[in-house]
Amino acid sequence: MMFMELDPGAILRKETGLDTPKIMRFVIGNPLIMKEMAKHVPDAGAYAPVTILVDERPDGVHLTYDKMASLLAPYGNPDALAVARDLDSKIENLLRESAV
């Protein structure tokens, strides 16, 4: 589910008057997955839905995603981490498929 689409590149383009850089931030997720993590670690709500950054650079398009498991690891909850790892796998597959 797409929650929000932001265009941080617009700020830089406005400053330079150029057509670049192209940088988009997408806030996406599944509320049911977030609910499963938040049941075990309420702070998971601070990290979900996830953010994916897509930016165009001279060497190509880059996709950036902070892994949910790394964000929740400090809480030490194995149940939340299992959900987070599954989410990371889904997001990574989505990014791979999108990059083709």
Side-chain angles (χ1 to χ4, degrees), residues 3-4 13 16 23 28 54 70 78 80 83 87 89 97:
F3 287 95
M4 191 182 322
R13 291 190 306 273
T16 64
I23 305 170
I28 66 166
V54 180
S70 66
V83 176
L87 173 61
S89 176
E97 291 173 15

Side-chain angles (χ1 to χ4, degrees), residues 37 40-47 68-78 80-81:
M37 289 185 294
H40 305 291
V41 176
D43 292 359
Y47 308 114
M68 186 63 68
S70 66
L71 296 169
L72 294 186
Y75 298 95
N77 185 292
L81 276 175

Side-chain angles (χ1 to χ4, degrees), residues 36-74:
E36 286 304 310
M37 289 185 294
K39 280 193 319 192
H40 305 291
V41 176
D43 292 359
Y47 308 114
V50 301
T51 294
I52 296 173
L53 189 74
V54 180
D55 68 289
E56 186 176 38
R57 302 178 196 174
D59 64 339
V61 175
H62 291 250
L63 304 172
T64 304
Y65 164 69
D66 291 329
K67 290 186 177 186
M68 186 63 68
S70 66
L71 296 169
L72 294 186

